[in-house]
């Protein structure tokens, strides 16, 4: 983090939770816009802040992830602000993002590519914001150049929505 290659971002708008494994739908996705042989993105942490919920409705929800397995075309950049984790504000990351309402490409957006991240949480709130989840991925997910890493929330009802968060470090790695 001290060296300035660690970043984080979050969505500014909550995205509705899905009740079935999606294909191309996502809440937040990072695209590694580095050229082949460039930096890989090492995911540290993901999170969801459930900001919309029908009052007194029992909800079970969790965060799911999707790591693309094929190189995809460069997406148009969504309005997601990248913050530098050391607070110095020198953002030269090449990362691009898509947010809820923009679909993943078909090569990445496969139901078989989604997996759970952490456990589920339950809530039945009267006032907002509701419950939140943070999952320490601890670098176990690496996004190579040209790939996506997507997040969504999967739950028992679609009346719950969440803002999503992720943090990562960019580093030259030999993958293979």
């Amino acid at each position: 983090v001290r060296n300035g290659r660690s970043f984080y971002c979050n969505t500014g708008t909550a995205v509705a939770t899905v009740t079935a494994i999606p294909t191309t739908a996502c809440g937040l996705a990072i695209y590694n816009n580095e050229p082949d042989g460039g930096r890989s993105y090492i995911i540290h942490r993901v999170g969801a802040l459930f900001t919309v919920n029908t009052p007194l409705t029992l909800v079970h929800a969790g965060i799911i992830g999707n790591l693309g397995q094929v190189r995809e075309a460069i997406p148009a950049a969504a309005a997601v602000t990248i913050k530098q984790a050391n607070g110095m504000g020198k953002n030269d990351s090449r990362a691009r993002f898509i947010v809820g309402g923009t679909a993943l490409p078909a090569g990445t957006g496969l139901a078989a590519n989604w997996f759970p991240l952490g456990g589920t949480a339950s809530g039945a709130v009267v006032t907002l914001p509701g419950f939140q989840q943070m999952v320490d991925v601890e670098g176990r997910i690496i996004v190579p150049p040209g790939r996506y890493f997507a997040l969504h929330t999967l739950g028992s009802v679609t009346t719950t929505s969440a803002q999503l968060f992720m943090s990562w470090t960019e580093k030259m790695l030999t993958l293979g």
Side-chain angles (χ1 to χ4, degrees), residues 57-157:
T57 300
L58 182 59
V59 175
H60 303 286
I63 304 169
I64 56 175
N66 177 333
L67 178 60
Q69 300 297 305
V70 297
R71 176 173 272 287
E72 299 281 10
I74 301 168
V80 172
T81 302
I82 300 172
K83 284 81 97 177
Q84 195 168 12
N86 69 1
M88 297 305 291
K90 185 185 133 214
N91 176 9
D92 63 348
S93 175
R94 297 184 60 157
R96 294 221 177 160
F97 296 88
I98 62 173
V99 294
T102 303
L104 289 168
T108 296
L110 303 169
N113 281 359
W114 290 95
F115 53 90
L117 288 163
T120 60
S122 298
V125 298
V126 175
T127 59
L128 295 171
F131 54 96
Q132 54 192 306
Q133 291 181 299
M134 292 299 285
V135 179
D136 289 320
V137 178
E138 299 176 346
R140 291 185 300 250
I141 296 173
I142 296 173
V143 187
R147 299 332 189 258
Y148 280 95
F149 174 61
L151 299 174
H152 214 317
T153 54
L154 177 67
S156 57
V157 295

